Amino acid sequence: MSMTVRAWLIDDSPSSRLQARLGRAWRICAALMRNPLAVAGAVIILTLVLTAIFAPLIATHDPLKQDLAQRLLPPGAMNWMGTDELGRDIWSRVVHGARITLVIVLMVAVLAAPAGLVLGAVAGYFGGWTDRIIMGVTDIFLSLPKLILALALVAALGPGIENAVIAIAITTWPAYARIARAETLTFKNSEFIAAIRLQGASAARVILGHVLPLCTSSMIIRVTLDMAGIILTAAGLGFLGLGAQPPLPEWGAMIARGRTFILDQWWVATMPGFAIVIVSLGFCFLGDGLRDVLDPKSGGQQ
């Protein structure tokens, strides 16, 4: 039975769109499974998602509960990652901090990627002054360091998770616009686009129905690779007190509070630091694997 399903999925002549899409998904998954680093990255990200979903069940203590009698305890049986300067369990705070990190990453991706994709496709499709204006604005944003620009925006908007997400999204979309424009320029004068125009399709229909889907693969790769940078930027803002505000267990803010005790009570800052490094590596590994599979120039789907 399994061989029959597999043969149906890898059929070179699919009889329906569903079969073609499922077959492509099967080939992508099979190619990813042959890449150990991509598998490791997927496992790390899956662990992050499950940890965020089931944080109340995984955490052993209330992440906000203070107990000064238990302050700065080293890792042990009762507190797996030790306690901080207010006696809060670091393991529980790292687990609940996964929720904040995941929310920030998803919100930035939802805001920045579609905006950059649409603007880049519009610039590439219409060209002329439209292209010059959009790409001029894009170049201005790309010329500024992301973290410095994000700091300036959050300082203007005010500290908080929502403003941090907006600031990071504003600094992230230009790269997506550049990629979408480059992809659009490669096929906007192709025969199938000309055929669609001859059928009377409007520019909006061509862009939304045909150009954007063709840019999706490159966008998925870039978004996945950018997740690590987004996490580090969010942690940097939290470290400076411009991200999630106390007593929320945000990893960057936890490191900031623990740097005072780094020489004697190393675990206070080290444990959330490990979480940031591991999750960032997970996104990098998965992004590299997706690039090998989805990028036609790499021959990953051959």
Side-chain angles (χ1 to χ4, degrees), residues 179-195:
I179 293 174
R181 176 183 179 271
E183 291 283 338
T184 303
L185 290 176
T186 60
F187 53 73
K188 78 168 187 176
N189 295 321
S190 59
E191 294 181 356
F192 77 93
I193 294 292

Side-chain angles (χ1 to χ4, degrees), residues 195-216:
I196 296 168
R197 291 199 194 101
L198 290 175
Q199 293 176 0
S202 63
R205 181 181 173 185
V206 174
I207 292 174
L208 294 176
H210 302 278
V211 174
L212 295 185
L214 290 173
C215 300
T216 302

Side-chain angles (χ1 to χ4, degrees), residues 65-68 70-72 84-88 257:
K65 184 179 179 181
Q66 302 179 16
D67 185 357
L68 295 180
Q70 302 293 320
R71 66 188 301 269
L72 298 176
D84 64 9
E85 75 282 3
L86 296 177
R88 297 172 297 193
R257 296 181 68 88

Side-chain angles (χ1 to χ4, degrees), residues 40-92:
V43 170
I44 292 173
I45 295 171
L46 179 61
T47 302
L48 172 68
V49 173
L50 293 177
T51 300
I53 294 174
F54 299 107
L57 301 177
I58 298 174
T60 56
H61 298 74
D62 183 344
L64 305 180
K65 184 179 179 181
Q66 302 179 16
D67 185 357
L68 295 180
Q70 302 293 320
R71 66 188 301 269
L72 298 176
L73 293 179
M78 293 297 296
N79 305 101
W80 298 345
M81 290 184 175
T83 60
D84 64 9
E85 75 282 3
L86 296 177
R88 297 172 297 193
D89 181 64
I90 295 177
W91 161 256
S92 300

Side-chain angles (χ1 to χ4, degrees), residues 101-155:
T101 299
L102 191 61
V103 167
I104 292 175
V105 166
L106 292 179
M107 290 301 297
V108 170
V110 168
L111 291 174
L117 181 61
V118 172
L119 289 173
V122 169
Y125 183 80
F126 288 106
W129 283 106
T130 302
D131 184 27
R132 293 178 185 176
I133 292 173
I134 294 177
M135 287 300 104
V137 174
T138 301
D139 290 340
I140 292 174
F141 278 93
L142 289 175
S143 66
L144 301 172
K146 285 186 178 181
L147 182 56
I148 301 301
L149 181 57
L151 286 172
L153 291 171
V154 174

